[in-house]
Amino acid sequence: MRKFTVNNNDAGQRLDKFVMKATEGMPKSLLYKFIRTKRIKLNGGRAHENDILSLGDEIEMYIPDEFFGESDGAPDYSKVKVKPDIVYEDENILLCNKKPGILVHLGDEGDKNRAEGAERETLIFALTAYLVNKGEYDPDSENSFAPALCNRIDRNTGGIVILAKNAPTLRAVNEAIRENRVRKRYLCAVHGKLSGEKTLTAYHTKDHRTNTVRIFDREVNGSRKIITKYKSLAYNGKHDLTLLAIDLITGRTHQIRAHMAHIGHPLLGEGKYAKNAEDRRLGFSSQALYSSSVEFEFEGELSYLNGKTYSVGKDCVDFLRLFPNFSFERDF
């Protein structure tokens, strides 16, 4: 039997969600069977999967030890291969500038990026180690919570990622993202000349086997609507490139890359939805795309972050060197 006492990071979530996080490899059908047969109890009595946990609640689990994922020891956070570039931090939230080429976390089982030892090269490992070494996170004192990233960025795209340091912040940020109250602005360089501002609408499908997407002008079976807004910031006539600011009204896989290629203006360095040999000669073998700023519109305890823009520095965005007349402070 294992007993857990609900702490601040556990409180406010459903019992079944807690159990899934506190155990490993348990099928949902078995979880609900254990609850139904009283092998999982709440405060000494019958538990229900939708019970909302409160601070100080006690959960007893009379289930096989195999589901508690005994390990050979806690990870060694003293040696980290990725050094986090912190944009902003307080007791609840951390904004980090992820450099291109770094994985935010390991992929799913079977993913080629799940090589042995690769976890140490991910951003989430580096940020967890950062908090452990600062004394802000103790894995041994938590039942079900670990610092978590609220948004993902492709390996070869750089930009701001949001880390929640506690469970209430994680729920608040995820809710704000779902309700489009987190504004992430991107910079990108595209082939061809674009001017002014425009809002593009199309339809998006994803092939999970190949991790690629297709864009259609009209709705097709299985498609989802996408909306991409761009603003032209500068033009490089020598290389026929336009610098754009992008606001995603919707956020789908590879939306910016695929949508811009669809309208005939693929990103500089794009290798999945277009190819241009000249890009490599310019020094770009991956997409010229950067999630460069974020703004929040929170309700409740995180509202102190509202009204501010958090941005990376100009020097972080390599492709800006192709637009010497662009002023990060004036034009973005």
Side-chain angles (χ1 to χ4, degrees):
M1 188 271 285
R2 303 291 180 96
K3 180 183 286 188
F4 299 85
T5 301
V6 173
N7 63 26
N8 285 322
N9 282 325
D10 303 322
Q13 65 181 309
R14 286 169 48 126
L15 174 78
D16 55 353
K17 301 295 185 184
F18 173 90
V19 175
M20 290 301 294
K21 294 174 185 176
T23 59
E24 290 186 12
M26 185 188 299
K28 285 189 176 181
S29 59
L30 190 56
L31 161 65
Y32 296 130
K33 179 180 178 181
F34 285 156
I35 294 175
R36 188 173 63 254
T37 57
K38 301 182 184 179
R39 294 181 67 178
I40 296 177
K41 297 183 177 182
L42 177 60
N43 296 324
R46 176 181 285 277
H48 304 86
E49 60 264 24
N50 59 356
D51 285 336
I52 303 300
L53 301 180
S54 299
L55 182 65
D57 281 347
E58 291 190 345
I59 301 164
E60 295 172 322
M61 300 189 196
Y62 298 85
I63 64 178
D65 287 342
E66 64 187 85
F67 293 119
F68 291 105
E70 300 294 348
S71 65
D72 295 332
D76 180 3
Y77 289 114
S78 62
K79 298 179 181 179
V80 182
K81 295 186 178 182
V82 177
K83 184 178 180 180
D85 178 8
I86 309 300
V87 175
Y88 171 82
E89 180 183 11
D90 62 32
E91 67 274 14
N92 296 313
I93 201 168
L94 184 151
L95 307 180
C96 180
N97 174 30
K98 185 194 83 69
K99 304 297 177 60
I102 296 174
L103 279 171
V104 291
H105 52 63
L106 291 183
D108 297 329
E109 292 292 343
D111 190 294
K112 64 181 180 180
N113 293 314
R114 289 188 65 92
E116 184 177 354
E119 181 184 12
R120 292 182 175 275
E121 300 177 11
T122 63
L123 185 65
I124 186 58
F125 186 91
L127 290 174
T128 302
Y130 171 76
L131 295 179
V132 168
N133 294 328
K134 283 180 64 180
E136 289 194 29
Y137 171 61
D138 178 9
D140 293 333
S141 69
E142 294 291 343
N143 298 318
S144 65
F145 179 80
L149 296 175
C150 305
N151 63 313
R152 303 180 182 184
I153 297 181
D154 291 342
R155 181 174 195 157
N156 291 321
T157 298
I160 295 177
V161 293
I162 306 166
L163 179 102
K165 292 186 176 183
N166 52 63
T169 297
L170 180 61
R171 289 192 289 268
V173 175
N174 286 341
E175 179 182 4
I177 290 174
R178 286 194 302 269
E179 297 178 355
N180 294 320
R181 291 187 282 110
V182 176
R183 182 191 181 197
K184 292 173 286 184
R185 173 166 277 197
Y186 294 77
L187 286 171
C188 67
V190 301
H191 286 280
K193 187 172 184 178
L194 291 169
S195 58
E197 301 181 41
K198 191 169 184 179
T199 300
L200 307 172
T201 300
Y203 294 88
H204 170 288
T205 63
K206 181 177 180 180
D207 186 335
H208 294 275
R209 297 169 301 171
T210 61
N211 193 33
T212 58
V213 306
R214 296 182 65 188
I215 306 298
F216 301 87
D217 292 323
R218 294 178 175 81
E219 187 173 7
V220 300
N221 185 38
S223 66
R224 304 175 76 179
K225 187 177 182 180
I226 59 171
I227 304 174
T228 308
K229 182 178 180 180
Y230 72 75
K231 177 182 178 181
S232 175
L233 300 176
Y235 179 66
N236 181 321
K238 178 179 179 180
H239 300 293
D240 191 26
L241 296 168
T242 302
L243 178 66
L244 299 178
I246 301 280
D247 288 314
L248 288 179
I249 311 304
T250 58
R252 310 293 183 209
T253 301
H254 299 167
Q255 179 174 324
I256 295 174
R257 298 169 61 187
H259 207 168
M260 298 312 299
H262 178 72
I263 67 168
H265 295 276
L267 270 62
L268 171 68
E270 178 61 67
K272 183 166 287 193
Y273 300 103
K275 292 184 179 180
N276 189 327
E278 178 65 21
D279 294 358
R280 286 186 175 274
R281 287 192 283 270
L282 286 174
F284 293 90
S285 58
S286 59
Q287 63 270 15
L289 177 64
Y290 222 96
S291 178
S292 49
S293 72
V294 64
E295 299 175 11
F296 299 109
E297 185 183 334
F298 285 124
E299 300 171 350
E301 294 185 3
L302 296 180
S303 59
Y304 64 87
L305 296 168
N306 295 350
K308 302 174 184 178
T309 301
Y310 302 92
S311 303
V312 302
K314 179 180 180 179
D315 293 341
C316 296
V317 187
D318 181 46
F319 54 86
L320 288 182
R321 61 183 167 83
L322 298 173
F323 306 92
N325 295 325
F326 168 74
S327 169
F328 201 89
E329 295 75 17
R330 182 192 68 226
D331 300 326
F332 184 55

